[in-house]
């Protein structure tokens, strides 16, 4: 497990949101997805920094997508989770599930 | 890809600018562009709620993202893939600043009492200073409003020399001289103005308003244009008669004409003459000086009934203002004007020692040109500066206290590698932030205080002239920054050079304690000086007001009227008698008499001889004042007959002639007594007598027998030492005056009314106004109002010194309190040990209070010394009060000491509450 990159909680949320959006993930949609599904406010600055960080860790890739008139001719970055990213998510989930084991009695009160 | 709506180029440029801005913070251009694209996309959805709001939202979000990228936390993540970009120093700087600001805000929030004390203290100091500075700059440094190129404008004066070589300036000139100056090529324009009050309206509606008569070219010289309508044309204002027109002030137009443009073309009755309103002057316009003007009329139209007035060279009525000829130097202009003036004076027998002088219309700080008003304003500027010094030293003390409290934190920071420059910057950021807040609050204080200060200080300056101006703003900003630098740097200087090991100890070093105590002593000393000044002025004011004027000042009212020219002398006499009847029927009026002369009103003096007594019995050959009076005069005045009898109704024209003299007069003429029965020969015929007959004429004057001596009464000054008042009273019925030209007459000046205690003077005006249609205006003033202008210097000194003194006292109290409170919190351990070892709480309490008192006492001693040395400056401004009055000094010191004691009480009480066990355990 040690060789997997550790991802933080918000990073997981972002990665999961991208996976859920499929091939249609750019920043505006990612934010909306998190706000809708995770029911939390996301500051744009934090989201961009996190996307950059995940990219730097090699968990994300992006390519320039179409620019629409709505974007004033500015390109959109369409994100895709890399294989490394998926592995990191799995590892995180496994870690959490291990830790959850046997605690149902305590937590489900 | 074509947009649905036509694009606004301005909004299209914005995204490019946004990309450039973001690129400074976001390392990769593609990322920056995509972020801008994202924001644009979301912004479009917000256009429904208004485009402006959507754009504001866009820029705000962009700013937030940029800040997030710029923050250190962002950079800690290490280099980004993609082309390397050097971190801009701007980024680092803004990052540090942000951090400093955040830290500063956090420390402020965590200590609201400290922050509040600093802001309030500075607000008071800065506010007082900015208000006073605004007033001084209004008086001395700025031109009156609505004047074009004020630097080209000059007042023209003529300086004369008398035979002893003393020079005196004449500020007013005849119209003919304006013509001479216009012919001189010195000026582009020359005009004259005469300020006075006029009666506006008629009947019960009539009121006196400030007005100005101006010559042709006046508004042209100043470069002023009308707000509504127009100003005078050349023909309306030029000799011989001008036109019956009037321009009103903006204030008058708004106040009395409802700001109605249709008022232009209607008539306004000014001094009984209907005039057509042709225009409204711009708001706040007061001409070439600052006195308020409600009504502008052409000088020519006011002079229309005086034939040839524009060639008269003796009627000096007009102050002259001129615009310099831009083609020549001011020196050359002066010489040309001088030549022009001399040319005009040729053949008038003037001695050639007169000189034309030009003075810029902005007075500046030229010592010789300061008016009494400006002097007072400068004095108060000085006093306000003292308050500011007190405020700054107080704030510095507060910062020092806090720096010591934060030693631990600062030590940790420096151990973690924060260098001195960085530390300095952080402390300065904090002090700048706080002092900035103080400065802003100070401006609010200034805006509020300036209104009050102007009402007291500048009653002669139009209220529309703004007082809080850029200069006052600059003064406020400068004082706030000064405070920030001093307050921010002082702790750094103390902390610098202290070894880190010592920084960790939470005790006070000798250095700060000394500095803080010196600051407190300084504050106390300055406060004492201000308090002492306030007491001196209050004592002066009380002594002035409680003087015995020799008559019943409090209950007396003087009324006088202005009759239309068409009312003849006989009619007037009759109207005055009817006036007495009307006044007597008002409830609350105890007595009403017509008066010809009155204290602080008109006076009269004629040559008088005393058979058997040397020619010049009074000081300096002065003539005694003659008062023609009605029989009930003394009673109405509340004067006391000291010897003999007063005047009676039976002392009529046919009865033996009698006189009553004042005590001073009796004492000067008949020091041994025996005034009663003496003879006065009063010259009532002023026609020239050939010298050969003069002695005979004097000897032939009939005797007026002195039948009584009345107490001395003040004539015209509230300073008794200004004159030796010698006066006598003759029954009006036994007096006819013939003037030098043979025309005589003695018309009453007005009415004197004595009110019952507690009665109001409200009905007097309307009762008199009802006498006649020909009575244009009635002026009713109590003696309190009449004396007010003379009381103003003391009232001003008393009120302003008191305000500033109390301000300083409050600040010094806060200073003592905060310093002691801090010292106690530092010494809780010591207090705890003392109490544990059995020291009575009373001892600890007394010890702390004694500390506060010691500081105040040292300050008092220093302040007393300063007052003693500076007393000479204040002496001439006081009334029968020594500037070295020991009693008052003691009172001031005891006020200061009491305040110090009060300020020490809470810290002292806290000290006694130190629970030994708790305190000792806590360390």
């Amino acid at each position: 497990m040690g060789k997997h990159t550790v991802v933080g909680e918000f990073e997981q949320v972002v990665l999961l949101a991208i996976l859920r959006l499929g091939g249609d993930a750019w920043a505006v949609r990612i934010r909306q997805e998190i706000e809708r599904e995770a029911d939390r406010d996301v500051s744009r600055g934090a989201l961009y920094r996190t996307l950059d960080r995940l990219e730097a860790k090699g968990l994300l890739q992006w390519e320039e997508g179409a620019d629409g008139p709505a974007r004033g001719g500015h390109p959109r970055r369409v994100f895709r989770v890399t294989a490394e990213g998926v592995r990191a998510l799995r590892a995180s989930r496994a870690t959490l599930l291990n830790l959850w084991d046997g605690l149902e009695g305590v937590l489900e009160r | 890809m074509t947009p649905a709506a036509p694009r606004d180029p301005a909004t299209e440029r914005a995204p490019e600018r946004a990309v450039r801005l973001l690129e400074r913070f976001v390392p990769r251009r593609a990322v920056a562009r995509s972020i801008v694209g994202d924001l644009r996309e979301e912004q479009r959805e917000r256009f429904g709620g208004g485009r402006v709001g959507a754009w504001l939202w866009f820029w705000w979000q962009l700013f937030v993202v940029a800040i997030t990228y710029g923050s250190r936390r962002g950079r800690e993540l290490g280099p980004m893939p993609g082309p390397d970009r050097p971190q801009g120093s701007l980024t680092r700087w803004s990052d540090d600043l942000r951090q400093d600001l955040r830290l500063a805000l956090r420390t402020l929030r965590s200590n609201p009492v400290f922050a509040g004390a600093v802001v309030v203290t500075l607000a008071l100091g800065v506010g007082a200073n900015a208000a006073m500075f605004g007033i001084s700059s209004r008086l001395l440094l700025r031109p009156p409003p609505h004047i074009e190129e004020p630097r080209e404008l000059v007042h023209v004066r003529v300086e004369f020399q008398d035979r002893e070589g003393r020079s005196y300036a004449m500020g007013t000139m005849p119209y003919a001289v304006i013509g001479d100056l216009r012919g001189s090529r010195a000026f582009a324009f020359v005009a004259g103005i005469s300020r006075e009050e006029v009666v506006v309206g008629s009947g019960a509606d009539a009121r006196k308003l400030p007005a100005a008569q101006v010559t042709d070219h006046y508004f042209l010289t100043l470069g002023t244009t009308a707000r509504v309508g127009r100003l005078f044309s050349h023909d309306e204002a030029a000799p011989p008669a001008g036109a019956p027109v009037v321009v009103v002030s903006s204030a008058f137009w708004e106040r009395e004409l409802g700001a109605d443009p249709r008022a232009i073309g209607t008539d306004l009755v000014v001094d009984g003459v209907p005039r057509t309103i042709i225009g409204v002057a711009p708001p706040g316009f007061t001409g070439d000086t600052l006195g308020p003007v409600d009504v502008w009329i052409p000088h020519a139209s006011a002079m229309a009934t005086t034939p040839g007035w524009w060639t008269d060279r003796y009627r000096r009525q007009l102050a002259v203002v001129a615009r310099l000829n831009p083609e020549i130097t001011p020196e050359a202009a002066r010489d040309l004007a001088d030549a022009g003036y001399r040319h005009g004076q040729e053949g008038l027998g003037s001695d050639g020692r007169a000189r034309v002088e030009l003075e810029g219309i902005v007075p500046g700080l030229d010592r010789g040109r300061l008016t009494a008003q400006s002097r007072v304003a400068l004095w108060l500027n000085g006093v306000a500066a003292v308050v500011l010094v007190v405020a700054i030293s107080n704030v510095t003390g507060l910062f020092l206290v806090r720096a010591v409290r934060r030693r631990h934190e600062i030590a940790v920071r420096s151990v973690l590698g924060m260098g001195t420059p960085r530390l300095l910057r952080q402390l300065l950021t904090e002090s700048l932030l706080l002092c900035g807040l103080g400065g802003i609050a100070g401006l609010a204080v200034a805006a509020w205080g300036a209104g009050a200060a102007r009402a007291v200080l500048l009653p002669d300056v139009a209220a529309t002239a703004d007082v809080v101006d850029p200069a006052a703003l600059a003064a406020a900003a400068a004082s706030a920054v000064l405070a920030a630098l001093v307050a921010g740097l002082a702790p750094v200087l103390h902390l610098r050079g202290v070894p880190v090991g010592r920084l960790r100890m939470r005790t006070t070093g000798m250095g700060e304690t000394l500095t803080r105590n010196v600051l407190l002593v300084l504050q106390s000393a300055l406060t004492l000086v201000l308090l002492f000044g306030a007491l001196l002025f209050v004592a002066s004011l009380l002594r002035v007001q409680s003087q015995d004027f020799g008559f019943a000042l409090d209950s007396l009212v003087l009324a006088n009227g202005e009759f239309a020219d068409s009312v003849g002398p006989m009619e007037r006499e009759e109207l005055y008698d009817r006036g007495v009847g009307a006044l007597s029927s008002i409830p609350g009026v105890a007595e009403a008499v017509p008066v010809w002369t009155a204290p602080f009103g008109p006076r009269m003096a004629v040559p008088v001889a005393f058979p058997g007594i040397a020619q010049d019995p009074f000081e300096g050959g002065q003539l005694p004042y003659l008062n023609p009076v009605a029989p009930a005069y003394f009673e109405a005045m509340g004067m006391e007959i000291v010897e003999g009898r007063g005047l009676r109704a039976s002392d009529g024209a046919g009865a033996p002639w009698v006189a009553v003299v004042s005590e001073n007069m009796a004492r000067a003429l008949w020091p041994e007594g025996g005034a009663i029965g003496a003879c006065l020969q009063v010259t009532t015929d002023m026609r020239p007598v050939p010298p050969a007959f003069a002695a005979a004429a004097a000897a032939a004057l009939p005797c007026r027998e002195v039948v009584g001596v009345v107490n001395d009464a003040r004539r015209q000054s509230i300073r008794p030492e200004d004159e030796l008042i010698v006066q006598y009273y003759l029954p009006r019925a036994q007096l006819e005056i013939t003037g030098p030209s043979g025309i005589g007459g003695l018309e009453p000046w007005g009415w004197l009314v004595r009110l019952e205690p507690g009665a109001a003077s409200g009905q007097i005006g309307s009762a008199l106004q009802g006498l006649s249609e020909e009575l244009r205006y009635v002026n009713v003033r109590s003696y309190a109002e009449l004396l007010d202008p003379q009381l103003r210097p003391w009232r001003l000194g008393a009120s302003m010194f008191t305000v500033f003194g109390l301000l300083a006292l409050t600040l010094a109290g806060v200073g003592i309190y905060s310093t002691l409170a801090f010292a106690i919190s530092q010494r809780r351990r010591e207090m705890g040990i003392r109490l544990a070892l059995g020291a009575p709480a009373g001892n600890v309490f007394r010890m702390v209070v004694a500390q506060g008192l010691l500081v105040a006492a040292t300050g008092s001693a220093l302040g007393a010394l300063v007052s003693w040395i500076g007393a000479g400056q204040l002496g001439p401004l006081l009334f029968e009060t020594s500037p070295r009055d020991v009693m008052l000094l003691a009172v001031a010191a005891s006020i200061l000491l009491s305040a110090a004691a009060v300020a020490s009480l809470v810290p002292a009480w806290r000290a006694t509450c130190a629970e030994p066990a708790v305190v000792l355990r806590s360390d």
Side-chain angles (χ1 to χ4, degrees):
Chain A
M1 258 187 4
K3 65 178 178 158
H4 295 298
T5 316
V6 179
V7 288
E9 194 261 353
F10 186 58
E11 290 174 334
Q12 282 184 53
V13 170
V14 172
L15 289 172
L16 289 170
I18 293 170
L19 285 171
R20 289 170 68 94
L21 287 166
D24 223 10
W26 71 94
V28 178
R29 297 288 306 273
I30 298 169
R31 237 188 100 249
Q32 287 167 352
E33 181 71 14
I34 298 173
E35 286 190 347
R36 194 169 52 236
E37 298 300 328
D39 195 23
R40 60 198 268 183
D41 281 340
V42 180
S43 100
R44 290 172 184 75
L47 177 63
Y48 289 124
R49 298 291 338 191
T50 306
L51 290 170
D52 288 352
R53 203 160 52 235
L54 290 170
E55 183 192 354
K57 289 178 179 175
L59 309 183
L60 273 187
Q61 273 179 355
W62 56 267
E63 53 199 26
E64 286 199 3
D67 54 345
R71 299 176 60 84
H74 297 290
R76 72 172 51 124
R77 283 189 294 163
V78 181
F79 291 94
R80 190 172 57 76
V81 179
T82 59
E84 179 66 18
V86 174
R87 267 199 296 281
L89 274 174
R90 279 204 196 104
S92 295
R93 192 174 71 136
T95 309
L96 281 177
L97 288 177
N98 280 343
L99 288 169
W100 271 98
D101 259 359
L103 289 177
E104 286 78 5
V106 182
L107 293 160
E108 286 177 10
R109 231 186 304 173
Chain B
M1 293 283 152
T2 33
R7 290 187 179 188
D8 174 4
T11 56
E12 279 320 298
R13 268 200 304 281
E16 276 319 304
R17 225 175 285 151
V19 172
R20 279 204 301 281
L21 175 85
L22 211 50
E23 273 187 78
R24 306 175 88 126
F25 299 95
V26 179
R28 288 168 297 172
R29 183 172 164 77
V31 173
R33 293 186 63 216
S34 83
I35 290 175
V36 170
D38 290 343
L39 292 178
R40 287 274 287 166
E41 196 180 328
E42 287 191 77
Q43 177 204 17
R44 266 186 98 79
E45 289 160 19
R46 287 163 193 272
F47 275 162
R51 289 186 95 85
V52 176
W55 277 108
L56 285 176
W57 178 90
F58 173 84
W59 282 106
W60 172 246
Q61 290 300 333
L62 193 83
F63 173 73
V64 170
V65 172
I67 289 291
T68 317
Y69 268 91
S71 79
R72 172 165 299 189
R73 204 152 23 129
R75 275 187 278 127
E76 277 160 2
L77 293 169
M80 290 290 160
D84 253 0
R85 291 171 56 91
Q87 279 296 330
S89 62
L90 177 75
T91 317
R92 197 170 311 123
W93 176 84
S94 78
D95 193 29
D96 287 351
L97 182 68
R98 237 165 46 89
Q99 220 178 20
D100 284 346
L101 270 177
R102 217 171 38 207
L103 187 64
L105 279 173
R106 206 165 57 210
T107 41
L108 294 191
R109 260 208 312 271
S110 71
N111 204 342
V113 175
F114 163 77
V118 170
V119 170
V120 169
T121 304
L122 264 188
L124 294 176
V126 168
N129 236 28
M132 289 318 304
F133 195 82
I135 283 178
S136 299
S137 97
R138 175 73 274 174
L139 280 179
L140 300 171
L141 304 177
R142 287 193 299 152
H146 299 290
I147 291 181
E148 290 269 303
E149 293 297 324
R151 257 172 285 178
E152 288 175 10
L153 286 177
V154 289
H155 285 132
V156 184
R157 294 180 209 285
V158 176
E159 219 161 80
F160 295 91
Q161 278 190 333
D162 65 9
R163 284 190 206 100
E164 276 95 52
R166 286 174 302 211
S167 63
Y168 57 99
M170 193 79 94
T172 52
M173 299 181 204
Y175 184 82
V177 169
I178 293 180
D180 301 339
L181 295 171
R182 281 176 181 165
S184 73
R185 258 195 73 242
F187 308 111
F189 301 105
V190 186
I193 177 172
S194 155
R195 287 164 186 267
E196 56 186 22
E197 294 200 313
V198 293
V199 178
V200 171
S202 52
D205 202 26
R207 59 259 182 235
K208 270 202 166 174
L209 291 175
Q213 293 181 11
V214 298
T215 67
D216 46 326
H217 289 183
Y218 183 76
F219 296 111
L220 196 62
T221 306
L222 266 49
T224 306
T225 49
R227 174 179 175 190
V228 180
R230 58 182 180 83
L231 304 176
F232 305 136
S233 70
H234 179 266
D235 288 347
E236 281 167 345
V245 290
V246 59
V247 166
V248 297
S249 70
S250 278
F252 182 90
W253 186 55
E254 288 162 9
R255 188 178 68 224
E256 313 217 355
L257 303 173
D260 186 352
R262 283 171 302 181
I264 308 295
T266 60
D267 277 359
L268 185 70
V269 177
V270 180
D271 277 344
V273 180
R275 289 171 176 273
T276 309
I277 301 174
I278 60 163
V280 179
F285 177 69
T286 57
D288 55 314
T289 54
L290 290 170
V293 175
D294 266 339
V295 174
W296 301 86
I297 54 180
H299 180 61
S301 69
M303 302 295 289
T305 54
T306 311
W309 62 271
W310 62 93
T311 54
D312 186 330
R313 290 195 167 272
Y314 296 97
R315 193 187 290 270
R316 303 183 159 273
Q317 286 188 322
L318 297 164
V320 179
V321 58
R323 186 171 290 277
L324 292 170
N325 180 348
E327 287 158 23
I328 57 177
T329 64
E331 291 72 30
R334 197 208 70 78
D335 292 343
L336 282 172
D338 201 44
Y341 175 79
R342 279 164 204 273
H343 182 72
Q345 298 298 106
E346 270 168 24
L348 289 178
S350 61
D351 57 5
R353 274 185 296 187
R355 264 172 68 85
V356 170
E357 292 294 345
L358 308 181
E359 288 171 347
I361 70 163
V362 180
L365 292 171
D366 184 354
R367 237 183 134 67
R369 291 181 59 194
L370 291 182
T371 59
Q373 219 177 18
S374 318
R375 268 175 226 280
V376 173
L378 285 179
W379 245 97
L380 290 172
N381 251 2
V383 174
V386 170
V387 173
L388 182 65
V389 170
V390 171
I392 291 184
S393 77
N394 204 340
V395 168
T396 308
L398 288 171
F399 269 90
L400 269 178
V401 163
R402 213 175 49 119
V404 173
R405 198 172 275 179
R406 286 173 58 191
R407 284 186 151 195
H408 188 73
E409 172 205 332
I410 288 169
V412 170
R413 282 174 193 279
S414 55
V415 166
L416 289 180
M418 188 187 247
T420 308
R422 187 82 174 73
L423 185 67
L424 190 75
R425 221 177 58 188
Q426 193 211 311
L427 291 175
L428 270 184
T429 307
E430 272 179 42
S431 62
L432 272 172
L433 181 72
L434 261 186
C435 295
L437 287 177
I440 292 168
L443 280 181
V445 172
W448 171 82
R454 179 178 43 207
V456 183
L457 276 173
L458 310 177
D460 307 327
V461 171
T464 39
D466 53 322
V467 157
V468 176
D469 64 333
L473 273 174
S479 30
V481 169
L482 177 72
L485 288 180
V486 173
L489 284 178
V492 177
L493 291 181
H494 273 295
L495 295 180
R496 201 197 50 191
V498 178
V500 170
R502 257 207 63 204
L503 277 174
R504 276 188 50 211
M505 296 190 302
R506 301 182 50 165
T507 52
T508 323
M510 278 298 287
E512 300 90 37
T513 314
L514 189 67
T515 313
R516 273 207 321 275
N517 284 338
V518 166
L519 286 175
L520 280 182
V521 166
L522 179 73
Q523 283 178 42
S524 307
L526 292 175
T527 304
L528 183 90
V529 172
L530 293 184
L531 283 179
F532 184 45
L535 286 173
L536 287 175
F537 272 103
V538 169
S540 295
L541 188 63
L542 289 178
R543 282 176 187 154
V544 167
Q545 284 176 325
S546 63
Q547 286 183 96
D548 181 9
F549 282 74
F551 54 91
L553 191 76
D554 297 335
S555 52
L556 290 179
V557 173
L558 273 182
N560 73 317
E562 279 179 27
F563 290 99
D565 294 338
S566 56
V567 184
M570 297 298 284
E571 267 177 278
R572 290 186 195 206
E573 292 259 3
E574 192 243 313
L575 277 171
Y576 278 103
D577 283 343
R578 275 175 42 209
V580 170
L583 290 169
S584 305
S585 65
I586 299 175
V589 168
E591 198 87 48
V593 289
V595 287
W596 289 260
T597 60
F600 299 90
R603 52 206 146 128
M604 205 183 281
V606 296
V608 54
F610 317 98
I613 289 174
Q615 213 55 38
D616 182 9
F618 310 117
E619 283 174 17
Q622 80 175 79
L623 289 172
Y625 291 107
L626 160 61
N627 297 289
V629 294
Y633 178 79
F634 296 127
E635 208 171 296
M637 285 290 280
M639 290 170 75
E640 190 193 343
I641 303 297
V642 184
E643 203 183 336
R645 68 170 175 93
L647 298 174
R648 298 170 185 153
S650 58
D651 295 320
W657 285 11
V658 293
V660 169
V661 298
S662 72
E663 278 185 287
N664 266 341
M665 182 151 165
R667 213 174 295 124
L669 292 171
W670 304 283
E672 313 290 320
I676 304 293
C679 167
L680 298 189
Q681 288 174 310
V682 180
T683 312
T684 54
D685 188 342
M686 306 295 166
R687 280 173 296 184
V689 179
F693 299 111
L701 286 172
C703 254
R704 291 167 192 267
E705 189 191 337
V706 175
V707 293
V709 178
V710 71
N711 71 295
D712 284 318
R714 219 47 87 61
R715 261 297 337 166
Q716 59 203 348
S717 173
I718 55 176
R719 280 183 182 266
E721 66 268 32
D722 283 0
E723 49 178 345
L724 170 70
I725 311 121
V726 185
Q727 34 191 350
Y728 59 103
Y729 304 82
L730 303 180
R732 161 70 184 96
Q734 297 181 351
L735 191 66
E736 278 313 323
I737 301 269
T738 310
S741 54
I743 306 167
L746 195 54
E747 191 185 301
W749 172 81
W751 298 269
L752 177 84
V753 183
R754 185 156 64 87
L755 298 171
E756 313 251 350
S761 61
Q763 289 181 47
I764 294 177
S766 50
L768 292 174
Q769 198 81 60
L771 282 179
S772 162
E773 290 285 300
E774 306 292 326
L775 194 57
R776 274 194 205 145
Y777 180 73
V778 175
N779 206 359
V780 180
R781 277 179 301 174
S782 68
Y783 264 96
E785 288 168 297
L786 271 172
L787 297 182
D788 190 69
Q790 295 199 41
L791 286 175
R792 199 182 290 159
W794 293 293
R795 169 134 356 105
L796 195 61
S799 55
M800 297 312 268
F801 265 94
T802 304
V803 167
F804 286 130
L806 289 180
L807 213 58
L809 185 67
T810 311
L811 296 183
V814 170
I816 290 175
Y817 167 79
S818 60
T819 304
L820 274 184
F822 172 73
I824 296 310
S825 74
Q826 292 287 295
R827 289 170 57 188
R828 275 169 69 87
R829 194 183 158 89
E830 174 201 332
M831 300 295 169
I833 293 174
R834 277 175 195 269
L835 290 171
L837 292 180
N843 277 5
V844 171
F845 188 87
R846 269 197 296 277
M847 189 184 78
V848 176
V849 174
Q851 254 185 350
L853 288 181
L854 181 66
V855 168
T858 317
S860 295
L862 185 65
L865 190 69
V866 171
S867 307
W868 207 262
I869 295 167
Q873 295 288 318
L874 209 55
L877 300 174
L878 301 176
F879 179 81
E880 288 185 351
T881 305
S882 161
R884 300 200 166 100
D885 190 312
V886 179
M887 265 303 292
L888 291 179
L889 193 58
V891 172
S894 58
I895 292 176
L896 182 61
L897 289 175
S898 315
V902 170
S904 318
L905 284 183
V906 174
W909 174 75
R910 262 202 218 140
T912 60
C913 293
E915 194 65 56
V918 176
V919 170
L920 296 179
R921 205 167 46 226
S922 75
D923 272 333

